[in-house]
Amino acid sequence: MEQQYDEAVRILNNELQNFPRSRCALSLLGYCYYHMQDFHNASQTYGQLTQACPEVDEYKIYHIQSLMKASNYEEASQVTTTVENPEFTEQVLLLQAAISYEIQLARSILDQCSPEAEERQVFEGALLWKEKRYPEAMKQFTDAMNNAGYQSDLAYNIALCYYSMKSSQYGASLKHIAEIIERGVRDHPELSVGALSEGVGGLQARSVGNTGVLRETALVEAFNLKAAIEYMMKNQEAARDALNDMPPRDESELDAVTLHNQALMEMDEKPTEGFRKLNFLLHQHPSPPETFVNLLLLYCKYGYYDLAADILAENAELTYKCMVPQDYEFLDALILAQSAPEEAYRRFDELSSKHIEALRRGTKNIQDARRQRDQNAVKKYLNEFDEALSKYIPVLMGQAKIYWDMEHYSMVEKIFRQSAEFCSEDESWKLNVAHIFFMQEKFKECIRYYEPFVRKHNDNLLSVTAIILANLCVAYVMTSANEEAEELMRLVEKEEEKVADPTKPVYHLCIINLVIGTLYCAKGNFEFGISRIIKSLEPYERKIGVDTWYYAKRCFLALGETLGKNMILLKDEAFDDIIAFFDAAAQVGKNIQTTISLLDNENAENKRTVAQEARLLKKFFLKMRD
């Protein structure tokens, strides 16, 4: 039978207009709101019901449950003290423990519950999980499932425990997730699992709503956890697929965790949407605790330091709830670097000292454990060292970036050399060292760092960031290793030809040619450099975009400036090629803007298109030719 809660709510609200204290209407209305996950209205309705029927303790239980779901724990705690019927004593104790779980007082209350209480085992597991005792928590959930039979929510709890044990247990977590999804698809085909993925480019899949059946299957939780695991394993495409395979719901029906995960997955392709969703979540109570930190980090990543500073100032209380002190100190220094780089450098230096001290302790622990031949201890200390290193690397990068922005590359190199003791095996450290050597034109040294990384990904070159391939090609050219450069470009071209989706442009070869062309222009060989840039953007309809146009036009402007100063002469054929290129760019660039605002708050009138700029450049070069 179809559960038409919306229609029921409308009818019951009309009924309450005539009989505002109707016990039947209020009871049914509260039930409907609760199952629609509108917990705020459910708690209000059950509140009215307990006032109308104060002698019925069952309604108070429903009122407590609704208040808890609405995160109104203080009021829920107060209502628990009004339940007098001894039949509900055990249930009230469990509810008090659940409330206290959110405020760190649950253990003492749980001990008052009967050891035979059906839900105690599950609650014990939840407490152990919160205390980060994951193997013990998993045992409780497994025992509970052995006693009660297979339940999707318990299977999800077990998967979550495996996930919480970090990367070593991701496989076991995915195995439990796969079983949850398989059962959900088999038992409830009406939930349309995968319909959103299949509907891409076609009709929008119809929402299945937030039904009781959907909650029982734990499909939403399972897909979110799967997306998180794939995201942590850097499989961005698989993470997006996991979210798209979720039973379809309208955006207004999405839970906070799904909305948060969608925002993270969208940041690369639709940053405006991602920022909108994270800002919306930040003003909801409750919201995933990661929302605050992720929004700050993303603002900093995209250069919106002023907005990050505003978020920090407006949500001072969240810095204590959602951030560890070292994370706050790091973000504070990162934001400060924009206005007071000297002070920011000093703060980064203090933070680095703390991290280095932790890394030295970790190294000593590993050595001691190896001497004692304690393999379990070695494994434990290695994991702790890796975690400490992952916290130190961003601090090191933030400190180095201050001098990088000043183009003081020798000082950046010095900072990285000082950190080599701990970081020399870290992939991101090695790549950044390569970038530093490249910027200092130490091409042989940068090849030594770029080459092993590229060879490691030879079977999938398109997974390598394009600028790494471009810099390696330039380094080859500058060290007269032209054959290696050409071979690498051929490999990239073959990889691009294999791309299955023709609507999805790939820019690797384009960027390599752009960088090589820019290099020749910088060295004064404009004729060859410009021809390389024009070639890099073919076919124009697929390769001309906001970023590629930005870097291409810089070279044309540099050429224009040199021509204007009468420092070089350009052949007529070269002028003809440039004019023809601008004509083509004007055709394909009518709807391509030359600037992009991630926050979508710029005045549209101030935005120019590639076509407009191409016509202006054409006009200038025609004057130069004449």
Side-chain angles (χ1 to χ4, degrees), residues 418-470:
Q418 289 169 350
S419 64
E421 178 187 353
F422 302 108
C423 307
S424 58
E425 296 304 312
D426 183 81
E427 209 72 78
S428 62
W429 183 88
K430 287 191 276 191
L431 285 174
N432 278 289
V433 169
H435 295 332
I436 295 159
F437 285 139
F438 183 84
M439 294 306 292
Q440 294 179 91
E441 300 188 2
K442 296 178 180 178
F443 296 114
K444 284 185 180 176
E445 287 90 338
C446 81
I447 289 171
R448 199 154 46 85
Y449 284 93
Y450 279 137
E451 217 170 38
F453 181 80
V454 172
R455 282 181 180 161
K456 186 179 169 184
H457 296 83
N458 246 359
D459 55 339
N460 185 15
L461 282 172
L462 297 188
S463 67
V464 179
T465 308
I467 198 64
I468 293 171
L469 299 173

Tab-separated table of all heavy atoms in Angstrom, residues 418-470:
chain	number	residue	atom	x	y	z
A	418	GLN	N	65.587	20.805	4.076
A	418	GLN	CA	65.566	20.617	5.534
A	418	GLN	C	64.573	19.534	5.953
A	418	GLN	O	64.725	18.924	7.003
A	418	GLN	CB	65.216	21.941	6.225
A	418	GLN	CG	66.324	22.975	6.160
A	418	GLN	CD	65.860	24.360	6.617
A	418	GLN	OE1	64.661	24.597	6.822
A	418	GLN	NE2	66.798	25.283	6.767
A	419	SER	N	63.540	19.325	5.118
A	419	SER	CA	62.506	18.341	5.463
A	419	SER	C	62.763	16.969	4.844
A	419	SER	O	61.982	16.040	5.042
A	419	SER	CB	61.137	18.851	4.998
A	419	SER	OG	61.113	18.970	3.589
A	420	ALA	N	63.867	16.831	4.098
A	420	ALA	CA	64.136	15.585	3.372
A	420	ALA	C	64.274	14.381	4.292
A	420	ALA	O	63.953	13.251	3.915
A	420	ALA	CB	65.394	15.737	2.529
A	421	GLU	N	64.737	14.619	5.516
A	421	GLU	CA	64.932	13.533	6.481
A	421	GLU	C	63.682	12.677	6.644
A	421	GLU	O	63.745	11.448	6.743
A	421	GLU	CB	65.347	14.129	7.834
A	421	GLU	CG	65.531	13.112	8.937
A	421	GLU	CD	65.762	13.776	10.290
A	421	GLU	OE1	65.912	15.025	10.358
A	421	GLU	OE2	65.771	13.035	11.291
A	422	PHE	N	62.513	13.330	6.642
A	422	PHE	CA	61.263	12.609	6.872
A	422	PHE	C	60.425	12.443	5.604
A	422	PHE	O	59.631	11.514	5.498
A	422	PHE	CB	60.421	13.339	7.922
A	422	PHE	CG	61.122	13.524	9.232
A	422	PHE	CD1	61.568	14.776	9.635
A	422	PHE	CD2	61.363	12.435	10.064
A	422	PHE	CE1	62.219	14.950	10.836
A	422	PHE	CE2	62.014	12.595	11.265
A	422	PHE	CZ	62.455	13.852	11.656
A	423	CYS	N	60.572	13.357	4.650
A	423	CYS	CA	59.623	13.424	3.531
A	423	CYS	C	60.148	12.878	2.214
A	423	CYS	O	59.406	12.859	1.223
A	423	CYS	CB	59.195	14.883	3.306
A	423	CYS	SG	58.572	15.702	4.773
A	424	SER	N	61.413	12.454	2.169
A	424	SER	CA	62.042	12.142	0.882
A	424	SER	C	61.340	11.027	0.106
A	424	SER	O	61.521	10.906	-1.105
A	424	SER	CB	63.516	11.782	1.084
A	424	SER	OG	63.623	10.677	1.958
A	425	GLU	N	60.531	10.198	0.779
A	425	GLU	CA	59.824	9.124	0.075
A	425	GLU	C	58.380	9.495	-0.265
A	425	GLU	O	57.672	8.722	-0.895
A	425	GLU	CB	59.819	7.839	0.931
A	425	GLU	CG	61.201	7.248	1.181
A	425	GLU	CD	61.955	6.969	-0.109
A	425	GLU	OE1	61.351	6.365	-1.030
A	425	GLU	OE2	63.132	7.365	-0.214
A	426	ASP	N	57.957	10.672	0.174
A	426	ASP	CA	56.568	11.100	-0.070
A	426	ASP	C	56.416	11.597	-1.502
A	426	ASP	O	57.231	12.402	-1.991
A	426	ASP	CB	56.179	12.208	0.915
A	426	ASP	CG	54.742	12.639	0.753
A	426	ASP	OD1	53.850	11.957	1.273
A	426	ASP	OD2	54.509	13.663	0.075
A	427	GLU	N	55.373	11.117	-2.202
A	427	GLU	CA	55.171	11.432	-3.629
A	427	GLU	C	54.975	12.926	-3.864
A	427	GLU	O	55.575	13.505	-4.774
A	427	GLU	CB	53.953	10.659	-4.147
A	427	GLU	CG	54.007	10.310	-5.618
A	427	GLU	CD	55.009	9.221	-5.939
A	427	GLU	OE1	54.718	8.038	-5.709
A	427	GLU	OE2	56.096	9.582	-6.424
A	428	SER	N	54.132	13.563	-3.055
A	428	SER	CA	53.858	14.995	-3.265
A	428	SER	C	55.114	15.830	-2.989
A	428	SER	O	55.360	16.836	-3.664
A	428	SER	CB	52.699	15.457	-2.372
A	428	SER	OG	53.026	15.303	-1.011
A	429	TRP	N	55.916	15.406	-2.014
A	429	TRP	CA	57.169	16.122	-1.704
A	429	TRP	C	58.099	16.056	-2.913
A	429	TRP	O	58.673	17.064	-3.332
A	429	TRP	CB	57.824	15.491	-0.475
A	429	TRP	CG	59.068	16.181	-0.009
A	429	TRP	CD1	59.168	17.224	0.865
A	429	TRP	CD2	60.428	15.878	-0.412
A	429	TRP	NE1	60.484	17.589	1.042
A	429	TRP	CE2	61.276	16.782	0.272
A	429	TRP	CE3	60.987	14.947	-1.263
A	429	TRP	CZ2	62.658	16.766	0.124
A	429	TRP	CZ3	62.378	14.936	-1.430
A	429	TRP	CH2	63.196	15.834	-0.732
A	430	LYS	N	58.255	14.847	-3.488
A	430	LYS	CA	59.169	14.679	-4.630
A	430	LYS	C	58.709	15.514	-5.833
A	430	LYS	O	59.541	16.121	-6.519
A	430	LYS	CB	59.256	13.194	-5.012
A	430	LYS	CG	60.060	12.372	-4.008
A	430	LYS	CD	60.358	10.978	-4.514
A	430	LYS	CE	59.235	10.027	-4.258
A	430	LYS	NZ	59.602	8.612	-4.503
A	431	LEU	N	57.399	15.555	-6.071
A	431	LEU	CA	56.902	16.339	-7.209
A	431	LEU	C	57.135	17.834	-7.000
A	431	LEU	O	57.482	18.555	-7.946
A	431	LEU	CB	55.409	16.066	-7.419
A	431	LEU	CG	55.070	14.716	-8.054
A	431	LEU	CD1	53.571	14.500	-8.078
A	431	LEU	CD2	55.637	14.611	-9.469
A	432	ASN	N	56.949	18.289	-5.770
A	432	ASN	CA	57.181	19.709	-5.505
A	432	ASN	C	58.659	20.075	-5.600
A	432	ASN	O	59.001	21.174	-6.038
A	432	ASN	CB	56.615	20.094	-4.134
A	432	ASN	CG	55.128	20.361	-4.194
A	432	ASN	OD1	54.683	21.363	-4.746
A	432	ASN	ND2	54.328	19.447	-3.671
A	433	VAL	N	59.537	19.156	-5.212
A	433	VAL	CA	60.978	19.377	-5.394
A	433	VAL	C	61.278	19.508	-6.891
A	433	VAL	O	62.049	20.379	-7.318
A	433	VAL	CB	61.788	18.214	-4.758
A	433	VAL	CG1	63.259	18.291	-5.185
A	433	VAL	CG2	61.691	18.281	-3.245
A	434	ALA	N	60.636	18.646	-7.698
A	434	ALA	CA	60.824	18.724	-9.158
A	434	ALA	C	60.365	20.078	-9.689
A	434	ALA	O	61.049	20.694	-10.527
A	434	ALA	CB	60.043	17.601	-9.834
A	435	HIS	N	59.210	20.568	-9.205
A	435	HIS	CA	58.716	21.883	-9.650
A	435	HIS	C	59.716	22.989	-9.298
A	435	HIS	O	59.938	23.914	-10.098
A	435	HIS	CB	57.369	22.198	-8.981
A	435	HIS	CG	56.254	21.283	-9.382
A	435	HIS	ND1	56.204	20.650	-10.596
A	435	HIS	CD2	55.130	20.888	-8.705
A	435	HIS	CE1	55.107	19.911	-10.671
A	435	HIS	NE2	54.447	20.039	-9.533
A	436	ILE	N	60.328	22.888	-8.104
A	436	ILE	CA	61.284	23.922	-7.667
A	436	ILE	C	62.502	23.932	-8.592
A	436	ILE	O	62.959	24.991	-9.032
A	436	ILE	CB	61.724	23.669	-6.202
A	436	ILE	CG1	60.543	23.819	-5.246
A	436	ILE	CG2	62.838	24.637	-5.797
A	436	ILE	CD1	60.751	23.128	-3.916
A	437	PHE	N	63.028	22.737	-8.900
A	437	PHE	CA	64.177	22.658	-9.813
A	437	PHE	C	63.805	23.198	-11.182
A	437	PHE	O	64.600	23.897	-11.831
A	437	PHE	CB	64.659	21.209	-9.932
A	437	PHE	CG	65.428	20.716	-8.733
A	437	PHE	CD1	65.229	19.431	-8.236
A	437	PHE	CD2	66.369	21.530	-8.103
A	437	PHE	CE1	65.948	18.970	-7.136
A	437	PHE	CE2	67.092	21.078	-6.996
A	437	PHE	CZ	66.881	19.807	-6.519
A	438	PHE	N	62.590	22.896	-11.650
A	438	PHE	CA	62.138	23.367	-12.962
A	438	PHE	C	62.111	24.890	-12.999
A	438	PHE	O	62.578	25.500	-13.978
A	438	PHE	CB	60.748	22.800	-13.263
A	438	PHE	CG	60.221	23.176	-14.624
A	438	PHE	CD1	60.566	22.438	-15.745
A	438	PHE	CD2	59.395	24.280	-14.791
A	438	PHE	CE1	60.095	22.784	-17.002
A	438	PHE	CE2	58.920	24.640	-16.037
A	438	PHE	CZ	59.263	23.888	-17.151
A	439	MET	N	61.561	25.504	-11.948
A	439	MET	CA	61.459	26.970	-11.927
A	439	MET	C	62.835	27.637	-11.865
A	439	MET	O	62.995	28.776	-12.275
A	439	MET	CB	60.606	27.427	-10.736
A	439	MET	CG	59.155	27.012	-10.818
A	439	MET	SD	58.331	27.495	-12.355
A	439	MET	CE	58.288	29.268	-12.188
A	440	GLN	N	63.826	26.902	-11.339
A	440	GLN	CA	65.192	27.445	-11.278
A	440	GLN	C	66.004	27.050	-12.520
A	440	GLN	O	67.203	27.294	-12.584
A	440	GLN	CB	65.907	26.928	-10.022
A	440	GLN	CG	65.285	27.444	-8.729
A	440	GLN	CD	66.003	26.884	-7.517
A	440	GLN	OE1	66.942	27.485	-7.009
A	440	GLN	NE2	65.569	25.737	-7.038
A	441	GLU	N	65.305	26.400	-13.497
A	441	GLU	CA	65.927	25.942	-14.739
A	441	GLU	C	67.049	24.935	-14.500
A	441	GLU	O	67.999	24.836	-15.277
A	441	GLU	CB	66.411	27.131	-15.585
A	441	GLU	CG	65.269	28.066	-15.978
A	441	GLU	CD	65.680	29.136	-16.978
A	441	GLU	OE1	66.850	29.134	-17.410
A	441	GLU	OE2	64.829	29.974	-17.322
A	442	LYS	N	66.907	24.169	-13.410
A	442	LYS	CA	67.826	23.048	-13.156
A	442	LYS	C	67.166	21.802	-13.761
A	442	LYS	O	66.613	20.958	-13.055
A	442	LYS	CB	68.050	22.869	-11.653
A	442	LYS	CG	68.734	24.061	-10.982
A	442	LYS	CD	68.879	23.819	-9.473
A	442	LYS	CE	69.554	24.997	-8.785
A	442	LYS	NZ	69.663	24.792	-7.314
A	443	PHE	N	67.213	21.724	-15.085
A	443	PHE	CA	66.389	20.754	-15.805
A	443	PHE	C	66.821	19.299	-15.581
A	443	PHE	O	65.982	18.412	-15.501
A	443	PHE	CB	66.363	21.096	-17.297
A	443	PHE	CG	65.718	22.426	-17.580
A	443	PHE	CD1	66.449	23.483	-18.097
A	443	PHE	CD2	64.368	22.631	-17.291
A	443	PHE	CE1	65.853	24.713	-18.340
A	443	PHE	CE2	63.765	23.856	-17.534
A	443	PHE	CZ	64.512	24.893	-18.050
A	444	LYS	N	68.121	19.048	-15.489
A	444	LYS	CA	68.577	17.671	-15.261
A	444	LYS	C	68.096	17.152	-13.907
A	444	LYS	O	67.680	15.998	-13.778
A	444	LYS	CB	70.105	17.613	-15.350
A	444	LYS	CG	70.623	17.684	-16.777
A	444	LYS	CD	72.128	17.503	-16.847
A	444	LYS	CE	72.590	17.585	-18.309
A	444	LYS	NZ	74.070	17.504	-18.407
A	445	GLU	N	68.148	18.024	-12.894
A	445	GLU	CA	67.697	17.621	-11.554
A	445	GLU	C	66.198	17.363	-11.534
A	445	GLU	O	65.724	16.405	-10.910
A	445	GLU	CB	68.045	18.702	-10.518
A	445	GLU	CG	69.516	18.786	-10.176
A	445	GLU	CD	70.250	19.758	-11.096
A	445	GLU	OE1	69.741	20.022	-12.209
A	445	GLU	OE2	71.339	20.225	-10.701
A	446	CYS	N	65.429	18.218	-12.242
A	446	CYS	CA	63.968	18.032	-12.209
A	446	CYS	C	63.564	16.766	-12.965
A	446	CYS	O	62.616	16.085	-12.573
A	446	CYS	CB	63.228	19.273	-12.716
A	446	CYS	SG	63.095	19.445	-14.476
A	447	ILE	N	64.304	16.415	-14.026
A	447	ILE	CA	64.024	15.158	-14.747
A	447	ILE	C	64.195	13.976	-13.802
A	447	ILE	O	63.422	13.012	-13.826
A	447	ILE	CB	64.953	15.014	-15.975
A	447	ILE	CG1	64.551	16.013	-17.071
A	447	ILE	CG2	64.910	13.586	-16.536
A	447	ILE	CD1	65.517	16.104	-18.237
A	448	ARG	N	65.181	14.044	-12.927
A	448	ARG	CA	65.472	12.961	-11.983
A	448	ARG	C	64.275	12.679	-11.072
A	448	ARG	O	64.072	11.549	-10.634
A	448	ARG	CB	66.696	13.352	-11.145
A	448	ARG	CG	67.408	12.202	-10.459
A	448	ARG	CD	68.884	12.554	-10.214
A	448	ARG	NE	69.073	13.869	-9.660
A	448	ARG	CZ	69.011	14.137	-8.357
A	448	ARG	NH1	68.740	13.184	-7.494
A	448	ARG	NH2	69.224	15.366	-7.923
A	449	TYR	N	63.461	13.708	-10.802
A	449	TYR	CA	62.286	13.535	-9.933
A	449	TYR	C	61.005	13.281	-10.734
A	449	TYR	O	60.139	12.526	-10.290
A	449	TYR	CB	62.098	14.770	-9.039
A	449	TYR	CG	63.075	14.815	-7.888
A	449	TYR	CD1	64.281	15.499	-7.992
A	449	TYR	CD2	62.792	14.161	-6.688
A	449	TYR	CE1	65.180	15.546	-6.935
A	449	TYR	CE2	63.683	14.196	-5.620
A	449	TYR	CZ	64.878	14.887	-5.757
A	449	TYR	OH	65.765	14.918	-4.701
A	450	TYR	N	60.883	13.946	-11.906
A	450	TYR	CA	59.657	13.774	-12.702
A	450	TYR	C	59.589	12.380	-13.341
A	450	TYR	O	58.544	11.746	-13.377
A	450	TYR	CB	59.589	14.809	-13.832
A	450	TYR	CG	59.108	16.185	-13.438
A	450	TYR	CD1	59.746	17.335	-13.922
A	450	TYR	CD2	57.997	16.352	-12.614
A	450	TYR	CE1	59.305	18.603	-13.587
A	450	TYR	CE2	57.559	17.625	-12.267
A	450	TYR	CZ	58.217	18.746	-12.756
A	450	TYR	OH	57.774	19.987	-12.418
A	451	GLU	N	60.743	11.938	-13.886
A	451	GLU	CA	60.769	10.740	-14.715
A	451	GLU	C	60.243	9.482	-14.009
A	451	GLU	O	59.381	8.780	-14.557
A	451	GLU	CB	62.186	10.503	-15.236
A	451	GLU	CG	62.221	9.975	-16.656
A	451	GLU	CD	63.635	9.981	-17.217
A	451	GLU	OE1	64.581	9.685	-16.454
A	451	GLU	OE2	63.780	10.279	-18.412
A	452	PRO	N	60.713	9.163	-12.777
A	452	PRO	CA	60.206	7.948	-12.114
A	452	PRO	C	58.699	7.982	-11.888
A	452	PRO	O	58.015	6.969	-12.016
A	452	PRO	CB	60.956	7.930	-10.768
A	452	PRO	CG	62.140	8.807	-10.967
A	452	PRO	CD	61.733	9.838	-11.959
A	453	PHE	N	58.181	9.185	-11.584
A	453	PHE	CA	56.741	9.328	-11.339
A	453	PHE	C	55.955	9.049	-12.612
A	453	PHE	O	54.957	8.311	-12.601
A	453	PHE	CB	56.431	10.728	-10.818
A	453	PHE	CG	54.974	10.958	-10.525
A	453	PHE	CD1	54.391	10.505	-9.351
A	453	PHE	CD2	54.162	11.612	-11.449
A	453	PHE	CE1	53.051	10.696	-9.087
A	453	PHE	CE2	52.814	11.807	-11.202
A	453	PHE	CZ	52.255	11.349	-10.011
A	454	VAL	N	56.396	9.599	-13.734
A	454	VAL	CA	55.695	9.415	-15.013
A	454	VAL	C	55.785	7.958	-15.461
A	454	VAL	O	54.797	7.367	-15.920
A	454	VAL	CB	56.254	10.370	-16.090
A	454	VAL	CG1	55.675	10.049	-17.464
A	454	VAL	CG2	55.950	11.822	-15.714
A	455	ARG	N	56.973	7.351	-15.323
A	455	ARG	CA	57.142	5.944	-15.724
A	455	ARG	C	56.249	5.016	-14.894
A	455	ARG	O	55.747	4.009	-15.399
A	455	ARG	CB	58.610	5.536	-15.567
A	455	ARG	CG	59.468	6.046	-16.710
A	455	ARG	CD	60.905	5.633	-16.569
A	455	ARG	NE	61.691	6.158	-17.691
A	455	ARG	CZ	63.006	6.284	-17.662
A	455	ARG	NH1	63.689	5.935	-16.585
A	455	ARG	NH2	63.648	6.753	-18.709
A	456	LYS	N	56.077	5.375	-13.643
A	456	LYS	CA	55.218	4.585	-12.750
A	456	LYS	C	53.774	4.549	-13.267
A	456	LYS	O	53.030	3.605	-13.028
A	456	LYS	CB	55.277	5.200	-11.346
A	456	LYS	CG	54.550	4.418	-10.270
A	456	LYS	CD	54.734	5.148	-8.949
A	456	LYS	CE	53.824	4.602	-7.881
A	456	LYS	NZ	53.927	5.376	-6.627
A	457	HIS	N	53.358	5.625	-13.981
A	457	HIS	CA	51.981	5.727	-14.494
A	457	HIS	C	51.937	5.566	-16.017
A	457	HIS	O	51.014	6.065	-16.664
A	457	HIS	CB	51.367	7.075	-14.092
A	457	HIS	CG	51.212	7.254	-12.616
A	457	HIS	ND1	52.232	7.675	-11.810
A	457	HIS	CD2	50.150	7.039	-11.803
A	457	HIS	CE1	51.812	7.740	-10.565
A	457	HIS	NE2	50.569	7.351	-10.525
A	458	ASN	N	52.934	4.878	-16.574
A	458	ASN	CA	53.020	4.735	-18.034
A	458	ASN	C	51.792	4.082	-18.652
A	458	ASN	O	51.435	4.363	-19.789
A	458	ASN	CB	54.263	3.919	-18.410
A	458	ASN	CG	55.268	4.777	-19.166
A	458	ASN	OD1	55.024	5.949	-19.423
A	458	ASN	ND2	56.401	4.189	-19.518
A	459	ASP	N	51.135	3.191	-17.894
A	459	ASP	CA	49.966	2.499	-18.439
A	459	ASP	C	48.712	3.366	-18.421
A	459	ASP	O	47.701	3.022	-19.010
A	459	ASP	CB	49.711	1.198	-17.662
A	459	ASP	CG	49.575	1.452	-16.172
A	459	ASP	OD1	50.061	2.504	-15.704
A	459	ASP	OD2	48.988	0.612	-15.470
A	460	ASN	N	48.771	4.505	-17.731
A	460	ASN	CA	47.624	5.429	-17.695
A	460	ASN	C	48.129	6.858	-17.530
A	460	ASN	O	47.989	7.464	-16.467
A	460	ASN	CB	46.671	5.051	-16.566
A	460	ASN	CG	45.404	5.900	-16.577
A	460	ASN	OD1	45.106	6.569	-17.558
A	460	ASN	ND2	44.681	5.898	-15.475
A	461	LEU	N	48.721	7.383	-18.579
A	461	LEU	CA	49.353	8.708	-18.507
A	461	LEU	C	48.354	9.825	-18.232
A	461	LEU	O	48.706	10.862	-17.685
A	461	LEU	CB	50.113	9.004	-19.804
A	461	LEU	CG	51.476	8.312	-19.952
A	461	LEU	CD1	52.026	8.540	-21.340
A	461	LEU	CD2	52.455	8.814	-18.909
A	462	LEU	N	47.094	9.620	-18.636
A	462	LEU	CA	46.097	10.678	-18.435
A	462	LEU	C	45.728	10.852	-16.963
A	462	LEU	O	45.072	11.826	-16.595
A	462	LEU	CB	44.835	10.390	-19.258
A	462	LEU	CG	45.019	10.370	-20.785
A	462	LEU	CD1	43.684	10.268	-21.484
A	462	LEU	CD2	45.776	11.596	-21.277
A	463	SER	N	46.159	9.903	-16.114
A	463	SER	CA	45.928	10.062	-14.671
A	463	SER	C	46.967	10.991	-14.046
A	463	SER	O	46.830	11.431	-12.910
A	463	SER	CB	45.968	8.708	-13.966
A	463	SER	OG	47.277	8.160	-14.015
A	464	VAL	N	48.036	11.293	-14.807
A	464	VAL	CA	49.081	12.203	-14.334
A	464	VAL	C	48.653	13.633	-14.650
A	464	VAL	O	48.154	13.917	-15.746
A	464	VAL	CB	50.433	11.899	-15.030
A	464	VAL	CG1	51.517	12.865	-14.564
A	464	VAL	CG2	50.845	10.462	-14.762
A	465	THR	N	48.839	14.542	-13.703
A	465	THR	CA	48.509	15.950	-13.932
A	465	THR	C	49.260	16.452	-15.168
A	465	THR	O	50.471	16.221	-15.309
A	465	THR	CB	48.896	16.797	-12.709
A	465	THR	OG1	48.328	16.195	-11.550
A	465	THR	CG2	48.409	18.220	-12.837
A	466	ALA	N	48.545	17.152	-16.036
A	466	ALA	CA	49.103	17.559	-17.337
A	466	ALA	C	50.370	18.400	-17.192
A	466	ALA	O	51.309	18.261	-17.986
A	466	ALA	CB	48.047	18.320	-18.129
A	467	ILE	N	50.429	19.257	-16.175
A	467	ILE	CA	51.590	20.159	-16.043
A	467	ILE	C	52.862	19.378	-15.738
A	467	ILE	O	53.963	19.788	-16.104
A	467	ILE	CB	51.322	21.254	-14.983
A	467	ILE	CG1	52.306	22.418	-15.148
A	467	ILE	CG2	51.372	20.692	-13.582
A	467	ILE	CD1	52.172	23.157	-16.442
A	468	ILE	N	52.738	18.204	-15.093
A	468	ILE	CA	53.921	17.366	-14.822
A	468	ILE	C	54.483	16.848	-16.140
A	468	ILE	O	55.700	16.904	-16.379
A	468	ILE	CB	53.553	16.198	-13.872
A	468	ILE	CG1	53.197	16.739	-12.486
A	468	ILE	CG2	54.689	15.181	-13.777
A	468	ILE	CD1	52.609	15.713	-11.545
A	469	LEU	N	53.605	16.358	-17.010
A	469	LEU	CA	54.032	15.874	-18.322
A	469	LEU	C	54.624	17.020	-19.154
A	469	LEU	O	55.643	16.844	-19.823
A	469	LEU	CB	52.852	15.249	-19.067
A	469	LEU	CG	52.192	14.031	-18.396
A	469	LEU	CD1	50.931	13.637	-19.157
A	469	LEU	CD2	53.149	12.854	-18.340
A	470	ALA	N	53.982	18.183	-19.073
A	470	ALA	CA	54.451	19.340	-19.840
A	470	ALA	C	55.841	19.774	-19.366
A	470	ALA	O	56.744	20.024	-20.180
A	470	ALA	CB	53.460	20.495	-19.696
